[in-house]
Amino acid sequence: MAPPSNIDINNNGAPQNCGVLPPQCSQLLDPEEFRRQGHQVINFIADYYARMGDYPVHPSVNPGFLRGQLPADAPSRPEPDAFGAALQVVRDLILPGLTHWQSARHFAHFPASSSTVGALGEALTAGINVVPFTWAASPAATELEMVVVDWLGKALHLPDSLMFCGGGGGTLLGTTCEAILCALVAARDRKLADIGSRRIGDLVVYCSDQTHFAFRKAAHIAGIHRDNCREIPTCRDDMFALSPAELHAAMQADVDTGLVPLFLCATVGTTQTTAVDPIRELCTVAAAYGAWVHVDAAYAGSALVCPEFRHVIDGAEAVDSFSMNAHKWLLANNDCCALWVRKPSLLVAALGTEQELILKDAAAEGHDVVDYMDWSVTLTRRFRALKLWLVLRCYGVEGLRAHIRAHVRMAASFESMVKDDARFELTAPRQFALVCFRLRLPEKLRGEKVANELNRRLLEEVNASGSGPYMSSAKVGGVYMLRCAVGSTLTEERHVHEAWKVVQDRAASLLREIEITYCADAK
């Protein structure tokens, strides 16, 4: 019996015509309609990439600018060619209000790198739309993820102990915060199994004052008291790296007061200056106190595909977990954070469930299969491995190395231009593709506060230049600095030179203004 197509129920329970045909299942996944709309989307995105330079990198808009231009309620029924009309709204209203992270002139943040293969991998993943929460739910998805995290781990020169091939294992998550949280929960449960669950309030976690706030957020979610998160100060003389001696002193002080060192989050490539913590020495300190060591290499982990950067993780064979974002600088598009652990059983013990599953597969009986729902916070998860596998297959490790090295060369070029201009100074050593710099204070003026205000104004002037560049700032050790992070897939050498010309021009204008003001005050 065919289902009714256009009836409703009135208040008396009797059917009545509603005048609107509900969508049929066959129409919602119609191959030909998908083909037509898919061509529209691909053409739209291709045009966007081609015309990226027409947009200011960062929009000049006020809060509420978009909400005031869109209807307050969703449409009750679709308009003719609703999809085409919606794309027009994206083009006319939404794109002008975005920060264009893929712009060749975006130097403000670490990259959210895109590639055509990464974008198409996202589309393929969305179209297939499987839910690989267990092996049985999507066997090929689970096994491809196991293969691809080993591929990536080998490409990054990670120790075998972190990969499936060496007794460890990896998974693909959405973000670094999620990766840190998973590792922290595993460390917490391992420690509480030894000392008793009632002592959770005695657990202490450690990081430097340069560690990303994602760590503190993860610690809070994991139930660590806010007062038990130790931020150890760093200094410029040590290139803002975490000192093993300072870590040892902090851990020993906590032990002396009856507290329990639990977890160290070391960083390779901090957000503010790309500082690199000494992994080997920190692991030695942490091991003496039985603390878990996690390495957050969200940004700089991608650079490990290049052998010349392998030394920054010397000693990594002793870490308990390691994470990096392939979506930051390795062309995998957003939502692709890789986490490796030395002992996957600890993740499963902390995050697994003993709930009897509805779906079982007889083929899995007697096999030690991986159910990735037991490796992360979420149960429902995306088939991220397909996208990353495509990127690795289509660009190859050598292609990824060339991509990283091109950005490092461009950053080195920007660094040289800063060095060659006596009005400027570098404020932190360049290690990857981030240059931290500032405008020197004229000799007539004195004081860090004045210097910081001068550079704050310089950044405002640079970012107000309309066509770009778009840069960001950091304040480290009391010093306000500008950050130029080279990493957009579209960035070329000319964009770097153009950015420096804008910085120089705005600096010259500010210095002239200061000179005029100083002369007027002197009279």
Side-chain angles (χ1 to χ4, degrees), residues 107-110 176 208-214 216 240 267-276 296-300 325 328 432 434-436 472-476 481 483-485:
F107 301 102
H109 307 99
F110 289 143
T176 292
S208 85
D209 59 3
Q210 302 301 302
T211 304
H212 196 276
F213 64 81
R216 286 170 286 283
F240 303 109
T267 308
V268 171
T270 58
T271 300
Q272 299 197 89
T273 66
T274 65
V276 173
D296 169 17
Y299 160 68
N325 290 344
K328 267 193 165 59
F432 304 101
L434 171 71
V435 181
C436 296
S472 61
S473 66
K475 192 173 183 181
V476 183
M481 60 188 76
R483 298 171 71 259
C484 177

Side-chain angles (χ1 to χ4, degrees), residues 148-201:
V148 84
V149 290
D150 267 13
W151 275 17
L152 181 59
K154 292 174 183 177
L156 299 180
H157 304 95
L158 297 184
D160 288 347
S161 57
L162 289 172
M163 292 180 278
F164 284 108
C165 62
T171 185
L172 298 176
L173 307 172
T175 67
T176 292
C177 188
E178 186 181 357
I180 295 173
L181 176 60
C182 291
L184 186 50
V185 169
R188 180 199 67 191
D189 282 12
R190 180 183 69 169
K191 183 66 71 174
L192 292 178
D194 291 337
I195 66 175
S197 59
R198 292 183 179 180
R199 295 195 63 192
I200 188 171

Side-chain angles (χ1 to χ4, degrees), residues 418-465:
V418 173
K419 288 179 177 179
D420 290 342
D421 191 325
R423 297 172 299 174
F424 292 86
E425 66 176 336
L426 296 170
T427 52
R430 181 194 59 79
Q431 303 201 70
F432 304 101
L434 171 71
V435 181
C436 296
F437 67 102
R438 71 171 177 171
L439 181 61
R440 296 180 190 271
L441 198 62
E443 291 183 2
K444 303 180 181 69
L445 303 177
R446 294 287 184 273
E448 202 62 58
K449 184 176 181 181
V450 178
N452 288 346
E453 177 60 21
L454 172 65
N455 282 278
R456 184 192 64 78
R457 289 186 59 195
L458 174 60
L459 180 64
E460 288 181 353
E461 292 286 332
V462 168
N463 286 346
S465 59

